[in-house]
Amino acid sequence: MQLTLLALILALLAVIGFMTGRSRAAASVGGRVAELHSVPSYHGVYVALWAGLPALLLFVAWTASEGWLVLQLVLSSLPERLTTGDGQSVALLKADILNIARGIATGREPDPLVQDAARRYAELRDLADWSLLAVGASLAVAGLGWGRHRIGPDLRARPAVERVVRVALVICSMVAILTTVGIVLSLLFEALRFFTVVSPLDFLFGTHWSPQMAMRADQVGSSGSFGAIPLFAGTLLITVIAMLVAVPVGLMAAIYMSEYAGRGVRTWLKPALEILAGIPTVVYGFFAALTMAPFVRSVGEALRLDVSSESALAAGIVMGVMIIPFVSSLSDDVINAVPQSLRDGSYGLGATKSETIKQVVLPAALPGIVAAVMLAVSRAIGETMIVTMASGLTANMTANPLQAVTTVTTQIATLLVGDQEFDSPKTLSAFGLGLVLFLVTLCLNMVALRVVRTYREKYD
């Protein structure tokens, strides 16, 4: 409640600062706006920034450190017998304090000292929130007054506002970059832990995948095999099937919509295709498991073929249908972006419409089409639900699309579901799979970028 109230106060003071700053700037020159260094709206934004930005920075800093500081104060007041121990016991103590303070049952009778610590933690957090509200509101009022005091004809409000906006844009850019770096580092560190237990050669070139580990010394049949070749083969097989469905259909649909379809047909056909992109993947999974898989099996039996009840073909076909909008929509936009002058020049040389499309339009649009296909490939590689429901979890190393296979993403989801021990090779293998998948996707994107640059230089 206190934080919500502080946010409302900051928003209100920012609006007041904008309105008063703009009117004060105009009044400082008697309404002759031309005599101001910056237009009145920049003065209003300048005052609003002074009213909201310092308090906002305080809010961010305090929110990031408040929980840790309060918890350290609470732990310092506890007896040493509770706080001195191994890292696991201290972590359990912290978790109990936080859970009790939030009203979450711990599943066991807590120590009275821990209950008192949780009560003190809740009281200190409440006191800290009220203090933040008071200090933040006071800082916002002071900033509002200071900003209004600075308003004058010679105030360079526009450069100051633009500097703040530039810093905000840089911070937003850094968030995306740091998020990517964090993902890579988290994958890398956990994968290195996995590769200290399992040889990278056995992982990358092994042909048997069975990550179950023995829980007891006398347990048989769960020694753990981490050969990932069957997973890579299954991923490649389903991706190829999906691309064989999505790329021709999506590209032909894009050519029809951009070159042949009338305006009336295009207005309903393109949204109808794009609806497919909004259907949840679990719905596609139901369709693949309940409709496509039995259909593929019945057709195979009619042809006297041995078809598994869960097959790569059923999952690949449905995945291809799901990916069609990615290819068709992006390719349509790229084809429409080809200059009409190229078409007119081709027609002027006597080429037919189909010849113009094959010899002029598609080569000129090739960079965008390659980008659309690579996006579709990345989407297919990362799909999990359809494969889980229609192709199963069996790690078979086969090129037969009528057999059950599994993919890298499906195994990652399976390995990380439920309560898992993150010290076991079984769970850590998910990070090894994720790192390999990341590197493969990165290489595909680099190849696509090279192709795009080559053909873009040719047709620009």
Side-chain angles (χ1 to χ4, degrees):
M1 182 184 69
Q2 298 93 326
L3 301 183
T4 303
L5 185 58
L6 177 60
L8 293 176
I9 292 174
L10 293 181
L12 178 61
L13 290 177
V15 172
I16 293 174
F18 176 78
M19 297 175 63
T20 58
R22 185 175 58 178
S23 59
R24 186 180 177 88
S28 65
V29 290
R32 297 184 297 275
V33 178
E35 297 182 7
L36 290 171
H37 176 273
S38 306
V39 295
S41 59
Y42 275 107
H43 290 78
V45 175
Y46 179 84
V47 178
L49 289 174
W50 269 109
L53 192 57
L56 180 62
L57 295 176
L58 173 66
F59 170 77
V60 172
W62 182 248
T63 303
S65 60
E66 176 191 10
W68 182 83
L69 291 174
V70 173
L71 186 59
Q72 294 304 313
L73 287 175
V74 172
L75 291 176
S76 64
S77 64
L78 291 175
E80 291 188 2
R81 66 178 180 84
L82 294 177
T83 57
T84 56
D86 57 6
Q88 186 174 1
S89 61
V90 175
L92 181 61
L93 173 63
K94 293 179 181 178
D96 287 342
I97 293 174
L98 295 177
N99 289 332
I100 296 173
R102 295 165 183 167
I104 302 174
T106 60
R108 59 184 181 278
E109 186 64 28
D111 191 303
L113 293 176
V114 176
Q115 289 182 324
D116 293 338
R119 192 178 306 110
R120 177 173 170 77
Y121 176 84
E123 293 173 353
L124 289 176
R125 286 295 299 265
D126 190 60
L127 177 62
D129 289 341
W130 281 112
S131 302
L132 176 63
L133 174 62
V135 175
S138 302
L139 192 59
V141 172
L144 175 63
W146 173 253
R148 292 185 74 253
H149 175 72
R150 294 287 308 277
I151 295 298
D154 298 329
L155 177 64
R156 304 175 66 87
R158 181 177 60 82
V161 171
E162 290 179 349
R163 281 195 299 270
V164 174
V165 173
R166 192 179 301 114
V167 171
L169 293 176
V170 171
I171 292 174
C172 292
S173 302
M174 291 301 297
V175 167
I177 295 173
L178 293 177
T179 300
T180 304
V181 172
I183 292 173
V184 174
L185 292 179
S186 64
L187 280 176
L188 183 61
F189 290 148
E190 297 298 332
L192 290 177
R193 292 179 59 194
F194 170 69
F195 288 131
T196 58
V197 180
V198 177
S199 170
L201 294 178
D202 294 339
F203 175 74
L204 294 175
F205 301 103
T207 59
H208 181 62
W209 177 264
S210 179
Q212 300 297 328
M213 300 295 294
M215 303 297 294
R216 303 183 310 273
D218 59 345
Q219 188 173 351
V220 179
S222 297
S223 58
S225 298
F226 297 94
I229 288 293
L231 308 186
F232 300 147
T235 302
L236 179 62
L237 177 61
I238 292 180
T239 301
V240 169
I241 296 173
M243 290 302 101
L244 291 176
V245 174
V247 173
V249 176
L251 186 56
M252 294 301 107
I255 293 173
Y256 173 74
M257 288 189 296
S258 60
E259 300 295 328
Y260 292 102
R263 180 173 298 179
V265 176
R266 178 183 169 84
T267 54
W268 65 264
L269 182 58
K270 187 172 182 178
L273 281 174
E274 292 177 347
I275 286 176
L276 295 175
I279 299 177
T281 56
V282 66
V283 177
Y284 282 110
F286 280 128
F287 174 73
L290 301 179
T291 303
M292 184 55 65
F295 173 76
V296 170
R297 186 174 184 182
S298 62
V299 171
E301 290 177 349
L303 298 175
R304 297 186 177 181
L305 297 175
D306 184 16
V307 183
S308 174
S309 58
E310 296 175 327
S311 64
L313 183 60
I317 291 175
V318 176
M319 190 184 298
V321 173
M322 180 191 69
I323 294 172
I324 286 175
F326 291 89
V327 180
S328 64
S329 181
L330 293 176
S331 299
D332 175 59
D333 294 337
V334 171
I335 293 174
N336 283 322
V338 174
Q340 184 63 33
S341 59
L342 294 180
R343 296 180 176 87
D344 295 338
S346 178
Y347 296 146
L349 294 174
T352 63
K353 192 175 187 67
S354 61
E355 290 173 340
T356 299
I357 293 173
K358 289 184 293 183
Q359 302 297 331
V360 176
V361 176
L362 290 182
L366 186 60
I369 294 174
V370 171
V373 172
M374 293 309 303
L375 177 62
V377 171
S378 299
R379 184 70 178 84
I381 292 176
E383 177 54 40
T384 303
M385 188 57 67
I386 294 176
V387 180
T388 302
M389 300 180 69
S391 186
L393 302 175
T394 305
N396 290 327
M397 191 174 65
T398 178
N400 184 0
L402 303 180
Q403 298 298 316
V405 297
T406 189
T407 63
V408 172
T409 54
T410 300
Q411 287 298 313
I412 291 175
T414 304
L415 292 169
L416 296 179
V417 168
D419 295 331
Q420 302 291 342
E421 295 182 1
F422 276 82
D423 290 334
S424 68
K426 174 185 175 181
T427 305
L428 292 176
S429 64
F431 295 96
L433 292 172
L435 180 62
V436 174
L437 187 65
F438 172 80
L439 294 176
V440 170
T441 306
L442 179 63
C443 293
L444 289 174
N445 291 334
M446 292 175 63
V447 171
L449 183 60
R450 182 63 180 269
V451 173
V452 168
R453 286 179 176 175
T454 301
Y455 283 90
R456 181 166 295 167
E457 291 173 358
K458 183 176 180 180
Y459 291 102
D460 273 352

